[in-house]
mmCIF file of all heavy atoms in Angstrom:
data_model
loop_
_atom_site.group_PDB
_atom_site.id
_atom_site.type_symbol
_atom_site.label_atom_id
_atom_site.label_comp_id
_atom_site.label_asym_id
_atom_site.label_seq_id
_atom_site.Cartn_x
_atom_site.Cartn_y
_atom_site.Cartn_z
ATOM 1 N N GLU V 199 -30.951 17.621 -20.354
ATOM 2 C CA GLU V 199 -31.964 18.561 -19.867
ATOM 3 C C GLU V 199 -31.541 19.160 -18.523
ATOM 4 O O GLU V 199 -31.921 20.271 -18.182
ATOM 5 C CB GLU V 199 -33.290 17.800 -19.720
ATOM 6 C CG GLU V 199 -34.488 18.651 -19.433
ATOM 7 C CD GLU V 199 -35.738 17.795 -19.267
ATOM 8 O OE1 GLU V 199 -35.752 16.632 -19.759
ATOM 9 O OE2 GLU V 199 -36.687 18.269 -18.638
ATOM 10 N N LEU V 200 -30.751 18.389 -17.809
ATOM 11 C CA LEU V 200 -30.210 18.848 -16.529
ATOM 12 C C LEU V 200 -28.691 18.779 -16.597
ATOM 13 O O LEU V 200 -28.117 17.700 -16.740
ATOM 14 C CB LEU V 200 -30.744 17.965 -15.387
ATOM 15 C CG LEU V 200 -30.180 18.225 -13.988
ATOM 16 C CD1 LEU V 200 -30.481 19.636 -13.532
ATOM 17 C CD2 LEU V 200 -30.754 17.218 -12.991
ATOM 18 N N ASP V 201 -28.055 19.944 -16.513
ATOM 19 C CA ASP V 201 -26.595 20.043 -16.626
ATOM 20 C C ASP V 201 -26.050 20.620 -15.322
ATOM 21 O O ASP V 201 -26.051 21.838 -15.106
ATOM 22 C CB ASP V 201 -26.241 20.948 -17.823
ATOM 23 C CG ASP V 201 -24.733 21.033 -18.037
ATOM 24 O OD1 ASP V 201 -23.972 20.664 -17.115
ATOM 25 O OD2 ASP V 201 -24.328 21.478 -19.126
ATOM 26 N N LEU V 202 -25.613 19.731 -14.443
ATOM 27 C CA LEU V 202 -25.192 20.173 -13.108
ATOM 28 C C LEU V 202 -23.962 21.074 -13.169
ATOM 29 O O LEU V 202 -23.833 22.002 -12.365
ATOM 30 C CB LEU V 202 -24.934 18.956 -12.215
ATOM 31 C CG LEU V 202 -26.187 18.156 -11.855
ATOM 32 C CD1 LEU V 202 -25.820 16.882 -11.113
ATOM 33 C CD2 LEU V 202 -27.137 19.000 -11.020
ATOM 34 N N ALA V 203 -23.075 20.812 -14.118
ATOM 35 C CA ALA V 203 -21.885 21.664 -14.248
ATOM 36 C C ALA V 203 -22.290 23.085 -14.618
ATOM 37 O O ALA V 203 -21.723 24.060 -14.122
ATOM 38 C CB ALA V 203 -20.933 21.085 -15.287
ATOM 39 N N ALA V 204 -23.306 23.178 -15.481
ATOM 40 C CA ALA V 204 -23.790 24.505 -15.878
ATOM 41 C C ALA V 204 -24.480 25.194 -14.703
ATOM 42 O O ALA V 204 -24.287 26.386 -14.467
ATOM 43 C CB ALA V 204 -24.750 24.383 -17.063
ATOM 44 N N LEU V 205 -25.290 24.427 -13.964
ATOM 45 C CA LEU V 205 -25.983 25.011 -12.809
ATOM 46 C C LEU V 205 -24.989 25.532 -11.780
ATOM 47 O O LEU V 205 -25.247 26.516 -11.086
ATOM 48 C CB LEU V 205 -26.896 23.973 -12.143
ATOM 49 C CG LEU V 205 -28.132 23.514 -12.908
ATOM 50 C CD1 LEU V 205 -29.080 22.792 -11.968
ATOM 51 C CD2 LEU V 205 -28.837 24.666 -13.581
ATOM 52 N N ASN V 206 -23.845 24.864 -11.709
ATOM 53 C CA ASN V 206 -22.840 25.228 -10.710
ATOM 54 C C ASN V 206 -22.225 26.598 -10.988
ATOM 55 O O ASN V 206 -21.514 27.146 -10.155
ATOM 56 C CB ASN V 206 -21.741 24.157 -10.665
ATOM 57 C CG ASN V 206 -21.112 24.045 -9.295
ATOM 58 O OD1 ASN V 206 -21.317 24.895 -8.436
ATOM 59 N ND2 ASN V 206 -20.336 23.009 -9.099
ATOM 60 N N LYS V 207 -22.493 27.128 -12.158
ATOM 61 C CA LYS V 207 -21.986 28.476 -12.482
ATOM 62 C C LYS V 207 -22.950 29.564 -12.011
ATOM 63 O O LYS V 207 -22.610 30.745 -12.019
ATOM 64 C CB LYS V 207 -21.754 28.603 -13.993
ATOM 65 C CG LYS V 207 -20.651 27.705 -14.528
ATOM 66 C CD LYS V 207 -20.421 27.947 -16.018
ATOM 67 C CE LYS V 207 -19.168 27.244 -16.518
ATOM 68 N NZ LYS V 207 -19.265 25.761 -16.461
ATOM 69 N N LEU V 208 -24.159 29.165 -11.627
ATOM 70 C CA LEU V 208 -25.170 30.139 -11.204
ATOM 71 C C LEU V 208 -24.891 30.640 -9.793
ATOM 72 O O LEU V 208 -24.244 29.971 -8.993
ATOM 73 C CB LEU V 208 -26.561 29.499 -11.236
ATOM 74 C CG LEU V 208 -27.065 29.007 -12.596
ATOM 75 C CD1 LEU V 208 -28.368 28.236 -12.425
ATOM 76 C CD2 LEU V 208 -27.263 30.183 -13.546
ATOM 77 N N GLU V 209 -25.418 31.805 -9.493
ATOM 78 C CA GLU V 209 -25.397 32.298 -8.121
ATOM 79 C C GLU V 209 -26.263 31.369 -7.279
ATOM 80 O O GLU V 209 -27.181 30.726 -7.794
ATOM 81 C CB GLU V 209 -25.964 33.719 -8.065
ATOM 82 C CG GLU V 209 -25.162 34.741 -8.854
ATOM 83 C CD GLU V 209 -23.799 35.004 -8.225
ATOM 84 O OE1 GLU V 209 -23.736 35.155 -6.991
ATOM 85 O OE2 GLU V 209 -22.802 35.037 -8.974
ATOM 86 N N THR V 210 -26.008 31.353 -5.989
ATOM 87 C CA THR V 210 -26.684 30.390 -5.118
ATOM 88 C C THR V 210 -28.218 30.417 -5.205
ATOM 89 O O THR V 210 -28.828 29.347 -5.350
ATOM 90 C CB THR V 210 -26.229 30.581 -3.661
ATOM 91 O OG1 THR V 210 -24.814 30.386 -3.606
ATOM 92 C CG2 THR V 210 -26.918 29.590 -2.740
ATOM 93 N N PRO V 211 -28.866 31.571 -5.152
ATOM 94 C CA PRO V 211 -30.342 31.551 -5.207
ATOM 95 C C PRO V 211 -30.863 30.945 -6.505
ATOM 96 O O PRO V 211 -31.842 30.182 -6.483
ATOM 97 C CB PRO V 211 -30.723 33.035 -5.104
ATOM 98 C CG PRO V 211 -29.551 33.692 -4.452
ATOM 99 C CD PRO V 211 -28.346 32.940 -4.931
ATOM 100 N N ALA V 212 -30.215 31.267 -7.634
ATOM 101 C CA ALA V 212 -30.644 30.714 -8.917
ATOM 102 C C ALA V 212 -30.356 29.219 -8.990
ATOM 103 O O ALA V 212 -31.156 28.445 -9.529
ATOM 104 C CB ALA V 212 -29.934 31.439 -10.068
ATOM 105 N N LEU V 213 -29.241 28.813 -8.426
ATOM 106 C CA LEU V 213 -28.888 27.390 -8.389
ATOM 107 C C LEU V 213 -29.963 26.601 -7.652
ATOM 108 O O LEU V 213 -30.463 25.580 -8.145
ATOM 109 C CB LEU V 213 -27.534 27.206 -7.695
ATOM 110 C CG LEU V 213 -27.156 25.780 -7.309
ATOM 111 C CD1 LEU V 213 -26.967 24.907 -8.548
ATOM 112 C CD2 LEU V 213 -25.884 25.760 -6.461
ATOM 113 N N ILE V 214 -30.352 27.087 -6.482
ATOM 114 C CA ILE V 214 -31.358 26.396 -5.677
ATOM 115 C C ILE V 214 -32.709 26.393 -6.393
ATOM 116 O O ILE V 214 -33.419 25.384 -6.404
ATOM 117 C CB ILE V 214 -31.442 27.044 -4.278
ATOM 118 C CG1 ILE V 214 -30.180 26.695 -3.486
ATOM 119 C CG2 ILE V 214 -32.691 26.571 -3.538
ATOM 120 C CD1 ILE V 214 -30.079 27.351 -2.136
ATOM 121 N N GLU V 215 -33.041 27.500 -7.011
ATOM 122 C CA GLU V 215 -34.300 27.594 -7.753
ATOM 123 C C GLU V 215 -34.355 26.555 -8.873
ATOM 124 O O GLU V 215 -35.374 25.882 -9.065
ATOM 125 C CB GLU V 215 -34.420 29.010 -8.334
ATOM 126 C CG GLU V 215 -35.759 29.314 -8.963
ATOM 127 C CD GLU V 215 -35.780 30.719 -9.565
ATOM 128 O OE1 GLU V 215 -35.069 31.612 -9.045
ATOM 129 O OE2 GLU V 215 -36.496 30.912 -10.557
ATOM 130 N N GLU V 216 -33.246 26.406 -9.588
ATOM 131 C CA GLU V 216 -33.194 25.426 -10.682
ATOM 132 C C GLU V 216 -33.277 23.999 -10.149
ATOM 133 O O GLU V 216 -33.973 23.155 -10.721
ATOM 134 C CB GLU V 216 -31.905 25.611 -11.496
ATOM 135 C CG GLU V 216 -31.879 26.866 -12.352
ATOM 136 C CD GLU V 216 -33.035 26.906 -13.350
ATOM 137 O OE1 GLU V 216 -33.247 25.901 -14.051
ATOM 138 O OE2 GLU V 216 -33.728 27.946 -13.410
ATOM 139 N N LEU V 217 -32.562 23.734 -9.073
ATOM 140 C CA LEU V 217 -32.587 22.378 -8.497
ATOM 141 C C LEU V 217 -33.999 22.000 -8.060
ATOM 142 O O LEU V 217 -34.422 20.850 -8.195
ATOM 143 C CB LEU V 217 -31.617 22.290 -7.311
ATOM 144 C CG LEU V 217 -30.126 22.304 -7.663
ATOM 145 C CD1 LEU V 217 -29.283 22.458 -6.394
ATOM 146 C CD2 LEU V 217 -29.729 21.023 -8.407
ATOM 147 N N MET V 218 -34.751 22.991 -7.561
ATOM 148 C CA MET V 218 -36.092 22.702 -7.056
ATOM 149 C C MET V 218 -37.107 22.417 -8.166
ATOM 150 O O MET V 218 -38.223 21.991 -7.887
ATOM 151 C CB MET V 218 -36.581 23.857 -6.167
ATOM 152 C CG MET V 218 -35.902 23.869 -4.807
ATOM 153 S SD MET V 218 -36.429 25.227 -3.756
ATOM 154 C CE MET V 218 -38.147 24.808 -3.493
ATOM 155 N N LYS V 219 -36.696 22.640 -9.405
ATOM 156 C CA LYS V 219 -37.578 22.271 -10.513
ATOM 157 C C LYS V 219 -37.602 20.759 -10.723
ATOM 158 O O LYS V 219 -38.473 20.238 -11.420
ATOM 159 C CB LYS V 219 -37.120 22.978 -11.802
ATOM 160 C CG LYS V 219 -37.351 24.478 -11.788
ATOM 161 C CD LYS V 219 -36.843 25.135 -13.068
ATOM 162 C CE LYS V 219 -37.085 26.642 -13.015
ATOM 163 N NZ LYS V 219 -36.424 27.328 -14.158
ATOM 164 N N ILE V 220 -36.629 20.069 -10.152
ATOM 165 C CA ILE V 220 -36.567 18.616 -10.264
ATOM 166 C C ILE V 220 -37.604 18.008 -9.326
ATOM 167 O O ILE V 220 -37.689 18.388 -8.152
ATOM 168 C CB ILE V 220 -35.161 18.104 -9.887
ATOM 169 C CG1 ILE V 220 -34.098 18.755 -10.781
ATOM 170 C CG2 ILE V 220 -35.101 16.590 -9.963
ATOM 171 C CD1 ILE V 220 -32.685 18.579 -10.260
ATOM 172 N N LYS V 221 -38.376 17.089 -9.837
ATOM 173 C CA LYS V 221 -39.402 16.441 -9.018
ATOM 174 C C LYS V 221 -38.730 15.602 -7.935
ATOM 175 O O LYS V 221 -37.837 14.803 -8.234
ATOM 176 C CB LYS V 221 -40.300 15.567 -9.888
ATOM 177 C CG LYS V 221 -41.628 15.257 -9.251
ATOM 178 C CD LYS V 221 -42.558 14.578 -10.256
ATOM 179 C CE LYS V 221 -43.780 14.037 -9.533
ATOM 180 N NZ LYS V 221 -44.632 13.235 -10.420
ATOM 181 N N GLY V 222 -39.145 15.824 -6.713
ATOM 182 C CA GLY V 222 -38.541 15.128 -5.586
ATOM 183 C C GLY V 222 -37.501 15.976 -4.871
ATOM 184 O O GLY V 222 -36.946 15.566 -3.863
ATOM 185 N N VAL V 223 -37.222 17.156 -5.438
ATOM 186 C CA VAL V 223 -36.264 18.079 -4.832
ATOM 187 C C VAL V 223 -36.994 19.304 -4.304
ATOM 188 O O VAL V 223 -37.489 20.115 -5.081
ATOM 189 C CB VAL V 223 -35.177 18.508 -5.845
ATOM 190 C CG1 VAL V 223 -34.222 19.520 -5.206
ATOM 191 C CG2 VAL V 223 -34.401 17.300 -6.336
ATOM 192 N N GLY V 224 -37.073 19.422 -3.001
ATOM 193 C CA GLY V 224 -37.640 20.605 -2.369
ATOM 194 C C GLY V 224 -36.519 21.480 -1.842
ATOM 195 O O GLY V 224 -35.355 21.290 -2.179
ATOM 196 N N ILE V 225 -36.863 22.406 -0.966
ATOM 197 C CA ILE V 225 -35.884 23.382 -0.481
ATOM 198 C C ILE V 225 -34.768 22.730 0.320
ATOM 199 O O ILE V 225 -33.609 23.131 0.238
ATOM 200 C CB ILE V 225 -36.592 24.493 0.342
ATOM 201 C CG1 ILE V 225 -35.607 25.571 0.769
ATOM 202 C CG2 ILE V 225 -37.315 23.904 1.549
ATOM 203 C CD1 ILE V 225 -34.961 26.329 -0.373
ATOM 204 N N LYS V 226 -35.095 21.724 1.107
ATOM 205 C CA LYS V 226 -34.087 21.076 1.939
ATOM 206 C C LYS V 226 -33.059 20.319 1.087
ATOM 207 O O LYS V 226 -31.853 20.466 1.273
ATOM 208 C CB LYS V 226 -34.776 20.125 2.928
ATOM 209 C CG LYS V 226 -33.909 19.054 3.546
ATOM 210 C CD LYS V 226 -32.786 19.591 4.395
ATOM 211 C CE LYS V 226 -32.161 18.481 5.239
ATOM 212 N NZ LYS V 226 -31.613 17.374 4.450
ATOM 213 N N VAL V 227 -33.540 19.499 0.159
ATOM 214 C CA VAL V 227 -32.637 18.720 -0.687
ATOM 215 C C VAL V 227 -31.808 19.650 -1.579
ATOM 216 O O VAL V 227 -30.593 19.477 -1.716
ATOM 217 C CB VAL V 227 -33.424 17.702 -1.536
ATOM 218 C CG1 VAL V 227 -32.527 17.041 -2.580
ATOM 219 C CG2 VAL V 227 -34.048 16.642 -0.631
ATOM 220 N N ALA V 228 -32.441 20.654 -2.155
ATOM 221 C CA ALA V 228 -31.712 21.613 -3.005
ATOM 222 C C ALA V 228 -30.620 22.313 -2.200
ATOM 223 O O ALA V 228 -29.505 22.517 -2.700
ATOM 224 C CB ALA V 228 -32.685 22.637 -3.587
ATOM 225 N N SER V 229 -30.931 22.651 -0.961
ATOM 226 C CA SER V 229 -29.937 23.316 -0.116
ATOM 227 C C SER V 229 -28.770 22.393 0.204
ATOM 228 O O SER V 229 -27.617 22.825 0.229
ATOM 229 C CB SER V 229 -30.586 23.793 1.178
ATOM 230 O OG SER V 229 -31.591 24.760 0.902
ATOM 231 N N CYS V 230 -29.054 21.127 0.434
ATOM 232 C CA CYS V 230 -27.987 20.157 0.698
ATOM 233 C C CYS V 230 -27.088 19.999 -0.519
ATOM 234 O O CYS V 230 -25.863 19.907 -0.386
ATOM 235 C CB CYS V 230 -28.576 18.802 1.104
ATOM 236 S SG CYS V 230 -29.248 18.778 2.770
ATOM 237 N N VAL V 231 -27.675 19.955 -1.700
ATOM 238 C CA VAL V 231 -26.879 19.835 -2.923
ATOM 239 C C VAL V 231 -26.009 21.080 -3.094
ATOM 240 O O VAL V 231 -24.819 20.992 -3.418
ATOM 241 C CB VAL V 231 -27.779 19.635 -4.155
ATOM 242 C CG1 VAL V 231 -26.954 19.623 -5.439
ATOM 243 C CG2 VAL V 231 -28.573 18.334 -4.030
ATOM 244 N N ALA V 232 -26.595 22.253 -2.847
ATOM 245 C CA ALA V 232 -25.843 23.505 -2.977
ATOM 246 C C ALA V 232 -24.679 23.557 -1.992
ATOM 247 O O ALA V 232 -23.567 23.936 -2.356
ATOM 248 C CB ALA V 232 -26.776 24.698 -2.770
ATOM 249 N N LEU V 233 -24.944 23.165 -0.757
ATOM 250 C CA LEU V 233 -23.910 23.262 0.275
ATOM 251 C C LEU V 233 -22.858 22.161 0.156
ATOM 252 O O LEU V 233 -21.663 22.440 0.136
ATOM 253 C CB LEU V 233 -24.559 23.212 1.667
ATOM 254 C CG LEU V 233 -23.602 23.273 2.863
ATOM 255 C CD1 LEU V 233 -22.764 24.543 2.856
ATOM 256 C CD2 LEU V 233 -24.370 23.149 4.179
ATOM 257 N N PHE V 234 -23.315 20.918 0.063
ATOM 258 C CA PHE V 234 -22.380 19.791 0.105
ATOM 259 C C PHE V 234 -21.812 19.422 -1.273
ATOM 260 O O PHE V 234 -20.720 18.876 -1.370
ATOM 261 C CB PHE V 234 -23.051 18.572 0.731
ATOM 262 C CG PHE V 234 -23.611 18.835 2.095
ATOM 263 C CD1 PHE V 234 -24.922 18.491 2.402
ATOM 264 C CD2 PHE V 234 -22.846 19.433 3.079
ATOM 265 C CE1 PHE V 234 -25.452 18.734 3.662
ATOM 266 C CE2 PHE V 234 -23.359 19.688 4.343
ATOM 267 C CZ PHE V 234 -24.662 19.335 4.629
ATOM 268 N N GLY V 235 -22.571 19.696 -2.327
ATOM 269 C CA GLY V 235 -22.120 19.347 -3.671
ATOM 270 C C GLY V 235 -21.539 20.515 -4.448
ATOM 271 O O GLY V 235 -20.741 20.316 -5.358
ATOM 272 N N CYS V 236 -21.967 21.734 -4.099
ATOM 273 C CA CYS V 236 -21.497 22.916 -4.837
ATOM 274 C C CYS V 236 -20.760 23.892 -3.929
ATOM 275 O O CYS V 236 -20.410 24.990 -4.347
ATOM 276 C CB CYS V 236 -22.668 23.608 -5.525
ATOM 277 S SG CYS V 236 -23.558 22.542 -6.683
ATOM 278 N N HIS V 237 -20.534 23.485 -2.690
ATOM 279 C CA HIS V 237 -19.740 24.258 -1.726
ATOM 280 C C HIS V 237 -20.256 25.684 -1.582
ATOM 281 O O HIS V 237 -19.473 26.622 -1.486
ATOM 282 C CB HIS V 237 -18.259 24.260 -2.140
ATOM 283 C CG HIS V 237 -17.320 24.431 -0.975
ATOM 284 N ND1 HIS V 237 -17.141 23.463 -0.002
ATOM 285 C CD2 HIS V 237 -16.514 25.466 -0.613
ATOM 286 C CE1 HIS V 237 -16.264 23.892 0.879
ATOM 287 N NE2 HIS V 237 -15.868 25.100 0.536
#
Side-chain angles (χ1 to χ4, degrees):
Chain V
E199 189 182 339
L200 175 61
D201 183 344
L202 292 173
L205 291 195
N206 209 348
K207 294 183 170 66
L208 298 172
E209 297 291 316
T210 300
L213 168 65
I214 289 176
E215 188 182 330
E216 289 301 311
L217 288 170
M218 286 179 65
K219 290 178 180 172
I220 302 166
K221 200 171 169 187
V223 178
I225 184 63
K226 161 63 167 59
V227 171
S229 297
C230 286
V231 175
L233 179 59
F234 304 129
C236 301
H237 207 69

